[in-house]
Amino acid sequence: MIRLKIHHRTSYYYSQPVSLGPHRLMLRPRESFDLRLISTEITITPAATVTWAQDVFSNAVATAIFQTPTDALVIDSMVELELSAVMWPVFPIAASAICYPFQYSFDEWSDLGALMLQQYPDPDGRLREWARAFVRGDPTDTLSLLKDLSAGVAESSYQYREDDGTQSPLETLDLGHGSCRDFAVLFVEAARVLGFGARIVSGYLYDPSQSLVGSQDAGSTHAWAEVYVPGGGWITFDPTNRSLGGSNLIPVAIARDISQAMPVAGSFTGATDAFQKMLVTVSVTSQYDG
């Protein structure tokens, strides 16, 4: 078990005062059997009225409403938590799902619903062909297949991108590079092509050794994936780092599509050239790191 502190600050700057629309914030980590929240606090400047709700995936979503014009917006999130996820997890996969292909039960199939459906066009079947190439036999080991798929995504070069948006799976394959969110989307879409229920996860990466791909200093925002396998449940795959399990991952939001898991989303009304810049800083440290 490790105790972590997360400081996530998002700042927007404008050349003149603007009116801020409602801002949607997804900054509170998801509690689970291996993640316990100790404290969480969001400070917003200028002052805002904040309400909380859970979305369809049970993510904690805060909505900030502003009353006064401003030339700057700062959203400061401070979180302290305990993470006890093990480094080398063993998944008790059901006998019926050890080998691929397998069939979900009717209840599983019904509940997974849209998480089994592709979200991006694949008119020529190129993604399907790429994903099927990782199926080494019929049948084949389910977990090995998913590990190979994750490793196949990571064969593309990692490229940090600050700009908004996400590449489509075919764009990532064509370009041969992408960010963590691009890799997560490619992995999830490929898993869905193969008949798995899969979802996107966004949150934070803890990297005290500063050796992992996608990390800045000891921690950063990050995106990865989860695949549902009977018996094993939702299994974590980080294709950016070819890793399995969540020992260094702090989930904040799960979603069908990456656009549903943005940490901060909002709008403003003002001059079209009023927006100057956005700055994001994230630190993830243990209680011993100072």
Side-chain angles (χ1 to χ4, degrees), residues 13-19 70 267-276:
Y13 297 97
Y14 306 90
S15 61
Q16 57 187 280
V18 299
S19 297
T70 183
S267 62
F268 73 91
T269 302
T272 55
D273 60 350
F275 176 74
Q276 290 186 312

Side-chain angles (χ1 to χ4, degrees), residues 132-189:
R132 291 293 305 176
F134 294 96
V135 181
R136 310 300 185 189
D138 186 9
T140 192
D141 182 78
T142 298
L143 196 56
S144 295
L145 166 60
L146 291 169
K147 289 178 180 177
D148 289 346
L149 184 63
S150 179
V153 172
E155 289 180 2
S156 297
S157 300
Y158 174 79
Q159 184 180 79
Y160 176 72
R161 291 193 294 111
E162 289 187 345
D163 53 308
D164 293 335
T166 304
Q167 295 170 182
S168 72
L170 293 180
E171 286 177 316
T172 300
L173 289 178
D174 288 340
L175 292 170
H177 61 72
S179 67
C180 61
R181 59 185 184 272
D182 302 322
F183 290 172
V185 166
L186 173 56
F187 176 85
V188 164
E189 285 290 284

Side-chain angles (χ1 to χ4, degrees), residues 9 29 42 65 96 134 160 177 181 197 234 248 261 273:
R9 172 176 288 182
I42 297 178
I65 305 295
S96 61
F134 294 96
Y160 176 72
H177 61 72
R181 59 185 184 272
W234 288 106
N248 61 334
D273 60 350

Side-chain angles (χ1 to χ4, degrees), residues 53-116:
Q54 286 185 309
D55 68 8
V56 69
F57 301 105
S58 294
N59 300 310
V61 181
T63 301
I65 305 295
F66 302 88
Q67 301 297 330
T68 57
T70 183
D71 60 2
L73 168 62
V74 178
I75 300 167
D76 217 24
S77 171
M78 298 289 293
V79 172
E80 190 169 353
L81 56 83
E82 287 182 345
L83 185 65
S84 59
V86 297
M87 186 169 294
W88 305 107
V90 176
F91 301 101
I93 296 174
S96 61
I98 288 177
C99 292
Y100 173 91
F102 64 86
Q103 287 189 328
Y104 289 115
S105 70
F106 177 78
D107 284 343
E108 290 169 333
W109 180 82
S110 298
D111 292 336
L112 288 169
L115 298 179
M116 296 183 65

